[in-house]
Amino acid sequence: MSAPDHPQASALVAEVMATGALTGLPQGHFIDGGFVAAAGGALMDTFDPSRGKAFATFAAGDAQDIDRAVGSARRALASNWRRTTPAERGRILQRAAALIRAESHRLAVVEALDAGKRLSEAYGDVGSAARAFEYYAGACDKLQGDTIPLDDDHLAYTVLEPVGVCAQIVPWNYPLATMARGVAPALAAGCTVVVKPAETTPLTALLLSDLLCRAGLPPGVCNVVTGTGTEAGAPLVAHPGIQHVTFTGSVATGIGVMQAAATQVTHVLLELGGKSPVVVMGDCDVEQALQGVLGAIYENAGQICSAGSRLVIARPLHERFVQALAERARALTPGHALTDPGLGPVNSAAQLARIDGHVQRARARGVRVVTGGHPTTDPASGRGWFFEPTILDGLSPDDPAVQQEIFGPVLCVQVFDEPEEALALANGTDYALVAGVYTRDFAAAHRLARELDAGQVYINEYFAGGIQVPFGGNRHSGFGRERGLEGLRNYCRIKSVAARLS
Ligand code: NAI
Ligand code: MG
């Protein structure tokens, strides 16, 4: 029995299919250990992208709610979280991981419903969230400084302190997993947090903050304020009570966040977009590469910062590879995310229009559309915000489809003759998040890995890695690294102490 077939999942899915909604969803912001109504009383709708229909409301937060949440996080930082020993912090994070697993069915179904994520992918995200808490739980009591040799008359040492209250601005493509990968290391380091989830996917952030409190997290250590980027996100990142911002989202918004944070000299980590190449060399295992490229662009309907959205392929392989890929792409049929279809919807009507605009402009420029290229619907309901799995072929390096992030199920194909050309094409955008390589030549793979401009390189398995492996971008893809022990450093600051002993 796979996770989506579990009786608990089936009961929740049946409820959604029968009523279009779910009962018992969280109401209000989560501040100071409990749910509270928005100060202004305003509510917003959240939608089921598989049907393009609103199914629940949530609190539309503003600067007053942010102020309340930051105040709560500040108090928690100075009092109860500081008094919690590192070992106890670790136990709480371990309990959180166990609770996430115990409640995986509800978390996965809510995520699939709210984000339009295929149910099996949503289960994968719940697993990633649990792993983040498990991994950083083990680090809580291992954050230690150094003693520094000076001379007989001095003692010098460093202490790792929590940086303070941290803001987490979370996007809609991986709501639960992105929140977990930011919150878990922050809590491990002794920080407190205020999370602002995306306005199209507010629900699992609320479920997770409540779950963390049930795992033993003291009130105020993890707060969630829902609402729009302008009404709730902007006052959070510019708040004088915030010491660090982790932002995941678009380049334009990221630049604005950095500027707003600068007014308070607040530290930022930016995880922005990508236009990641998958370099397929002529000597690769073709079946392995086909599977890799297919998942790299069509998983989560291409709405992944690290999606392999460009296929950079050796000319001798090009024609038959693209034909085989197109056949598999056509076999990915749309359906309601909760039925675990081949292809899920995109997250919003706005995102669907953006993707469609990119493809329409490409077609108007004369770009060859091998397959797909249009919005579509779930055949069972005739509804939903879907876009056909699409391949644009034979693109020149300066084509806008190659240069711009589309953030949808649209693969852009670039062909090379010489290996040096592959490298130039791969590195030829403003983004530098991920690069994939498929080849049987071990030395060539590692030579390429050395030269590719990317925060991470995947060899013969796209999306290889996990919470242990640092992740982040270069150039317009942002800066700073999450995940791994490196991810903890964002939340620690060093204090040096030097004393004269004589
Ligand atoms: P966005 O970057 O505007 O939204 C991401 C998050 O930032 C959301 O929680 C939003 O509420 C918040 N936000 C928006 N304005 C803010 C502000 N002034 N201050 C603080 N927080 C703010 O992205 P959007 O509009 O949802 O999507 C546009 C494009 O961004 C997509 O088409 C895609 O290309 C890219 N994107 C990239 C993501 C990634 O994983 N790197 C995730 C989401 C979007
Ligand atoms: Mg939604």
Side-chain angles (χ1 to χ4, degrees), residues 72-264:
S72 165
R74 282 213 73 73
R75 286 192 301 280
L77 182 77
S79 61
N80 48 22
W81 200 227
R82 177 175 231 143
R83 283 195 294 269
T84 309
T85 63
E88 179 57 13
R89 284 208 299 270
R91 283 190 286 270
I92 294 170
L93 297 196
Q94 281 291 4
R95 280 201 296 272
L99 259 184
I100 291 170
R101 291 218 164 86
E103 297 181 17
S104 61
H105 307 294
R106 186 164 187 82
L107 286 166
V109 169
V110 171
E111 190 81 323
L113 175 62
D114 203 13
K117 192 178 277 280
R118 296 167 60 245
L119 189 55
S120 55
E121 289 186 42
Y123 269 99
D125 294 3
V126 173
S128 303
R131 276 293 296 139
F133 282 93
E134 217 165 58
Y135 177 78
Y136 288 110
C140 293
D141 57 0
K142 295 163 194 75
L143 288 166
Q144 53 201 31
D146 296 314
T147 54
I148 298 158
L150 286 179
D151 55 48
D152 280 353
D153 292 330
H154 293 88
L155 170 65
Y157 59 93
T158 59
V159 181
L160 296 187
E161 300 177 335
V163 298
V165 181
C166 300
Q168 302 276 337
I169 306 281
V170 176
W172 41 262
N173 54 336
Y174 284 84
L176 181 71
T178 305
M179 174 172 166
R181 85 171 178 207
V183 169
L187 301 184
C191 295
T192 59
V193 294
V194 178
V195 181
K196 209 298 283 174
E199 49 270 49
T200 58
T201 53
L203 297 176
T204 47
L206 295 166
L207 293 177
L208 180 59
S209 54
D210 178 51
L211 179 153
L212 289 173
C213 278
R214 286 186 280 124
L217 203 69
V221 176
C222 178
N223 306 279
V224 174
V225 174
T226 55
T228 65
T230 20
E231 294 295 312
L236 175 59
V237 298
H239 198 289
I242 294 292
Q243 279 77 51
H244 167 89
V245 178
T246 291
F247 172 82
T248 305
S250 64
V251 177
T253 304
I255 291 170
V257 164
M258 198 170 161
Q259 284 167 336
T263 60
Q264 300 295 333

Side-chain angles (χ1 to χ4, degrees), residues 28-29 36-45 57-63 65 199 225-228 231-232:
H29 305 305
V36 298
L43 294 175
M44 289 176 76
D45 285 329
T57 59
F58 63 98
D62 62 17
D65 301 300
E199 49 270 49
V225 174
T226 55
T228 65
E231 294 295 312

Side-chain angles (χ1 to χ4, degrees), residues 46-49 55 113-115 200-202 347:
T46 188
F47 290 77
D48 168 6
F55 71 94
L113 175 62
D114 203 13
T200 58
T201 53
N347 180 258

Side-chain angles (χ1 to χ4, degrees), residues 286-443:
V286 174
E287 179 53 34
Q288 187 183 56
L290 275 169
Q291 283 180 25
V293 171
L294 195 79
I297 187 61
Y298 300 128
E299 197 172 298
N300 206 26
Q303 306 163 108
I304 311 182
C305 52
S306 52
S309 51
R310 292 188 293 137
L311 168 63
V312 176
I313 188 161
R315 192 173 303 281
L317 206 53
H318 169 230
E319 274 302 322
R320 79 180 156 108
F321 194 93
V322 168
Q323 283 319 313
L325 204 60
E327 230 167 83
R328 294 184 193 201
R330 279 190 285 272
L332 300 174
T333 47
H336 194 291
L338 287 173
T339 65
D340 211 27
L343 177 79
V346 299
N347 180 258
S348 64
Q351 191 57 27
L352 183 62
R354 247 180 243 141
I355 298 165
D356 192 33
H358 280 287
V359 175
Q360 280 189 30
R361 289 190 294 278
R363 198 182 276 114
R365 288 193 297 276
V367 167
R368 187 162 90 93
V369 183
V370 178
T371 188
H374 305 97
T376 183
T377 54
D378 169 6
S381 66
R383 303 186 61 104
W385 299 318
F386 293 83
F387 199 85
E388 293 168 349
T390 299
I391 300 176
L392 307 181
D393 197 11
L395 290 160
S396 68
D398 58 352
D399 191 279
V402 166
Q403 293 297 328
Q404 296 167 2
E405 183 176 54
I406 297 175
F407 222 62
V410 181
L411 181 68
C412 298
V413 183
Q414 299 174 269
V415 187
F416 68 86
D417 291 294
E418 302 300 328
E420 308 79 66
E421 213 186 322
L423 183 65
L425 291 176
N427 285 345
T429 75
D430 289 337
Y431 293 106
L433 187 55
V434 163
V437 178
Y438 282 86
T439 177
R440 284 191 169 101
D441 183 337
F442 179 86

